[in-house]
Amino acid sequence: MNRILTVIGARPQFIKASVVSMAIAECPELEEIVVHTGQHFDENMSGIFFDQLGLSRPRHQLNISGGSHGGMTGRMLIEVERILLEEKPDRVLVYGDTNSTLAGALAAAKLNIPIAHVEAGLRSFNMRMPEEINRILTDQLSDILFCPTDAAMENLRQEGFANKKSEILKVGDVMQDSAVFFAGRTSQRAVAGVEGENFILATLHRAENTDDPVRLAAIVAALNKLHATLAQVVLPLHPRTREALKNAGLTLDVTLIDPVGYLEMIVLLQRSALVLTDSGGVQKEAFFFGKPCVTLREQTEWVELIDIGANTLVGADVEAILAAARANLGRKVVDEQALYGGGQAAKRIARHLAK
């Protein structure tokens, strides 16, 4: 039996791991051990996802959050290494591009434990983003690279991975698996503080926006203007964003709600008319539910969504945000090309790991 040790720590990783863990559980050749670093520590940002998504509580809970990127990653590295020495897994499985991802990959690599990376090959081509550094280094350390798209495969080919011993596999996107699986489990579910539909759903948490007072002030001004003149703006407020707003002396005059679980997020997506976000995952979730997206960043890993017109990059420019929101509100987005694998990625990943 192959013992797979999975390292997760942030909301998008809980969603991705939920469907892959279900697929792993169906393989008698595999046993999974889950480590939660604690990168998202708030119960609304973490515990609720385990309950809603049917994930078993992790065998190891590290409760490591806050501090600098280096400090957080270093503490995770120490603790994950300790667990690897104790559990002696055959392989480490990591997801995406967080500090938890890099810490898990580094700890495994230094102990010569093989690594599989889900969402390999994604690139924003912006080395100022901590996520870009994390994903590039994790790809370099991994011997199995599970790519979600053709663009991700091409990025790895351009970086010379074809000449390495790594296995590069296009499996599709596990986020689509999750969207397909859980969309049927949201009927009659309400979201506290939100009435009606056809609102603008916004999320704001990425460090490049929250840690830059000028960018943050521009985004706040745009959201307030949209809420006052175009449509209700509903924003589940991330704890870090709340603190950043307080420190910058800024006020969001929109409908603010507490962070929501994944099922509530699906309900909000289904009822919305437009998504504004700086999240990588939410860009795709909007697409899965046929909603246009306006992304508050200068680059995105999901270039195919830009290419087909499902997503618009606007950065933190007030007028660009307003114009894109007005142009896209209520527009329907159709997945005519099955860009993300049709909801079968998790099974493909589990079958390959079972080899």
Side-chain angles (χ1 to χ4, degrees):
M1 176 176 288
N2 288 324
R3 303 182 79 231
I4 309 295
L5 188 138
T6 296
V7 180
I8 53 178
R11 171 194 178 274
Q13 294 170 328
F14 308 145
I15 298 168
K16 297 164 193 170
S18 65
V19 287
V20 177
S21 291
M22 282 189 279
I24 287 174
E26 294 174 358
C27 292
E29 306 94 334
L30 300 176
E31 174 193 357
E32 185 179 32
I33 303 153
V34 177
V35 176
H36 177 12
T37 65
Q39 185 168 338
H40 278 174
F41 57 94
D42 183 273
E43 183 66 15
N44 280 351
M45 298 294 292
S46 177
I48 191 171
F49 281 86
F50 285 89
D51 296 336
Q52 286 190 350
L53 303 179
L55 280 167
S56 300
R57 289 285 171 159
R59 187 178 301 184
H60 300 277
Q61 177 87 36
L62 303 185
N63 298 316
I64 297 172
S65 62
S68 67
H69 283 284
M72 181 191 295
T73 306
R75 285 180 287 149
M76 290 176 182
L77 179 59
I78 292 169
E79 291 302 311
V80 173
E81 181 183 62
R82 176 184 60 79
I83 293 167
L84 292 175
L85 290 169
E86 173 187 330
E87 294 285 1
K88 297 179 172 59
D90 299 295
R91 175 173 295 280
V92 166
L93 181 65
V94 293
Y95 293 81
D97 54 22
T98 68
N99 291 335
S100 302
T101 307
L102 180 58
L106 279 172
K110 289 179 178 292
L111 294 173
N112 297 312
I113 299 170
I115 302 154
H117 185 200
V118 177
E119 284 195 341
L122 298 181
R123 299 291 183 266
S124 66
F125 303 101
N126 179 2
M127 291 298 291
R128 294 179 61 85
M129 293 173 58
E131 296 85 357
E132 183 79 348
I133 297 167
N134 291 345
R135 62 173 73 105
I136 288 173
L137 293 177
T138 300
D139 281 345
Q140 290 290 338
L141 296 171
S142 301
D143 71 306
I144 299 179
L145 297 146
F146 291 123
C147 296
T149 63
D150 288 328
M153 297 277 286
E154 181 58 25
N155 288 337
L156 293 178
R157 282 192 284 267
Q158 291 289 333
E159 293 174 16
F161 276 81
N163 299 320
K164 300 181 180 182
K165 294 182 179 179
S166 304
E167 292 185 87
I168 304 174
L169 305 163
K170 181 187 171 186
V171 295
D173 195 318
V174 293
M175 289 291 284
Q176 186 168 36
D177 295 36
S178 297
V180 170
F181 182 81
F182 290 106
R185 289 159 173 75
T186 61
S187 61
Q188 308 305 313
R189 184 174 288 269
V191 179
V194 181
E195 301 291 339
E197 53 187 33
N198 294 325
F199 48 79
I200 297 171
L201 174 62
T203 75
L204 177 63
H205 78 279
R206 197 168 285 268
E208 65 188 89
N209 288 327
T210 60
D211 294 353
D212 184 328
V214 175
R215 291 180 66 90
L216 184 61
I219 292 169
V220 168
L223 292 175
N224 289 345
K225 180 78 169 180
L226 290 172
H227 185 78
T229 64
L230 185 64
Q232 179 188 17
V233 175
V234 175
L235 196 158
L237 193 57
H238 191 289
R240 184 172 66 211
T241 309
R242 186 185 298 276
E243 186 67 20
L245 291 167
K246 179 180 176 182
N247 292 339
L250 296 169
T251 300
L252 270 168
D253 295 320
V254 304
T255 302
L256 298 177
I257 60 175
D258 289 333
V260 295
Y262 184 52
L263 299 186
E264 285 80 13
M265 190 63 176
I266 289 177
V267 172
L268 292 175
L269 285 161
Q270 290 172 326
R271 289 166 52 188
S272 70
L274 174 68
V275 175
L276 264 65
T277 187
D278 60 5
S279 162
V282 174
Q283 294 173 52
K284 286 184 299 171
E285 290 169 351
F287 179 69
F288 298 151
F289 292 100
K291 308 299 179 176
C293 184
V294 174
T295 296
L296 308 170
R297 288 164 54 182
E298 312 301 330
Q299 303 92 7
T300 179
E301 316 82 278
W302 307 106
V303 292
E304 59 279 350
L305 294 180
I306 304 296
D307 292 342
I308 66 170
N311 191 2
T312 305
L313 288 174
V314 292
D317 182 277
V318 175
E319 292 306 318
I321 295 169
L322 296 176
R326 291 167 181 149
N328 285 282
L329 183 72
R331 186 169 64 86
K332 302 300 180 186
V333 172
V334 180
D335 182 8
E336 296 177 341
Q337 302 175 36
L339 286 176
Y340 295 108
Q344 299 298 312
K347 291 181 179 178
R348 295 180 186 124
I349 289 169
R351 283 198 297 266
H352 194 77
L353 292 175
K355 295 179 180 180

